[in-house]
Amino acid sequence: MAAQPAVARTTPDVAPPSPEDAPIAYLLDLTSGQVLLAREADRRFMPASITKVMTTFLAFEWMEEGKLLPQQTFTVRPETWSDWNNRGSTMFLSNRARVTVDDLVHGVTTVSANDGAAVLADSAAGSIEEWVEAMNAKAREIGMKDSHFGTPNGWMDEGATFVTAVDLATLASAMLRRHPSKYNHFVGKTEFTYNGITQPNHDPISGSVRGADGIKTGFTNQAGYGFLGSAERNGRRLVMVVAASPRGRTRDRASRDLLEWGFSQFEQRRLFVPGSKVTDAEVQGGNSTQVGLIAPRGVYLSMPRDQQTDATFRIEYSGPLRAPIMKGEEIAHLVVTIEGMPEARVPLEAETDVDEAGVFGRIVNGIRGWLP
C-alpha cells in the first residue's frame, strides 16, 4: 500500500522516519481511530519475536475466561526444555522447574523468552500445536485478515508465520481495549528477574518517549528489524509499527521519531464523550421507528496542527436497520473524512432494545409508510 501520511506540518527535528529507515511504517491514533501514517501497511513480513504479542494476548484472553490463572503453576516438561533451553532469548528455565503463569508471561513480554513462550503454550493448551491453532483462531476473531502464526515465539519456521502492520495494530488495539489492567501489569517493564538472573527489556521507547509502555521488538535476517509499540499522553493513545529496518539502532530511532511526530504534529479534539448519543437511526419492523446511536468510546479527532482543515461526517450502516436490535449491539459507524488522511470509522451501538413489532404495530408502520 502506498504511503498515506497526513498533511501535518513537519520540522527537521520532528518528522516521520524515512522510507530507508522504516520501509514499513504505520501509526494509528487509537483514541480517534484515525490512521496518521501508512507506508506499505498491508505488506506481509516475518514478525520474529513480535509473534509473542499474539501469545501474550491469547494468555490475557484465557485469563479473562478462567482458563489460566496468574498464580497457576506449570512444570517444565523435559521435551520442551530440551527443545528450547538457551535457544535465542531466554528466561533460563530449568528442566522440570515449577513456574507460575505470571512469571512465564513476564518472561515473554519483558525479556522475549523463547523458552517461556513455548512452556506457556505447551502447558496451557496441552501442546504447542494446540496453542498455535488457538492463536490463529483468535487472530481471525479480532480481525487480523492477513496474518498467520506457526509458532508461539516467532522462531524461524520457513515463512509459515507472517503479519502485516495493519494486523499488528489490530492486535495491539484489541489488547489495550480488552485488557488494560493486564497490559499495565505485564507490558512495558524495564527488567525481569527469574532464577536469580536479572535481564533488561530492550524495547526502544520505554523510558525514552514520554508515555511509552512497550510493546515488542523483533528481528530476522530475512525481514530485518521491527517493532510494535504504543504510548499514551494526556488520555491520547498511539499505536505504531515499524518493520524491515536495516539495523537495530535505525529501527529504534525510527520508532521514537514516529511517535514524537504523531504526538507533536496532531492535536486532539473531542466531539462526544464516551457513551454519548450521536444521532438517531430509522428502524424497520420494530416496536419503535428509531433507535439512538451511541459512541461507546466517544468521538475524537486528530487534526493536523496549525492547519485549517475541515472534517466531514456521515453515518453508515448496512441498511435499512431491521428489528430486533439489542441494546449495545454495534449497528453503525460514524465515518470521519479529513483531507489528506484515510477515512476513520467510529463504531456506534444501539442505545436501547428494539423488539419486533406485533401485528398491530406492523399495520401502523405500514400506514405510516403510505403517508407523505
Side-chain angles (χ1 to χ4, degrees), residues 22-88:
I24 298 172
Y26 191 72
L27 184 62
L28 171 68
D29 188 321
L30 187 60
T31 307
S32 68
Q34 292 168 267
V35 176
L36 307 185
L37 184 137
R39 176 189 298 147
E40 297 286 351
D42 293 314
R43 171 178 154 189
R44 290 180 176 181
F45 64 93
M46 291 174 281
S49 285
I50 302 175
T51 298
K52 297 183 179 86
V53 181
M54 188 71 235
T55 281
T56 301
F57 177 65
L58 183 59
F60 288 180
E61 291 280 283
W62 283 21
M63 288 178 193
E64 197 71 20
E65 296 166 11
K67 295 180 181 179
L68 274 178
L69 298 173
Q71 66 271 27
Q72 191 173 351
T73 303
F74 294 134
T75 300
V76 179
R77 293 197 307 118
E79 298 87 347
T80 308
W81 181 84
S82 177
D83 287 342
W84 293 102
N85 179 44
N86 287 328
R87 195 173 184 186

Side-chain angles (χ1 to χ4, degrees), residues 17 21-28 45-51 53 108-110 112 163-169 171-172 183 187-189 201-209 211-220 223-231 237-260:
D21 288 349
I24 298 172
Y26 191 72
L27 184 62
L28 171 68
F45 64 93
M46 291 174 281
S49 285
I50 302 175
T51 298
V53 181
V108 169
T109 59
T110 308
S112 194
V163 297
T164 67
V166 170
D167 280 355
L168 285 182
L171 172 58
Y183 180 89
V187 178
K189 307 307 177 188
N201 188 341
H202 295 293
D203 125 41
I205 61 172
S206 296
S208 298
V209 174
D213 49 21
I215 302 172
K216 192 72 195 72
T217 58
F219 167 72
T220 64
Y225 292 83
F227 179 62
L228 169 63
S230 185
R237 168 74 67 172
L238 301 185
V239 170
M240 53 130 308
V241 179
V242 296
S245 292
R247 292 172 294 278
R249 287 185 178 179
T250 303
R251 173 210 50 205
D252 295 352
R253 183 179 65 250
S255 301
R256 293 189 287 266
D257 288 349
L258 185 55
L259 281 172
E260 292 292 1

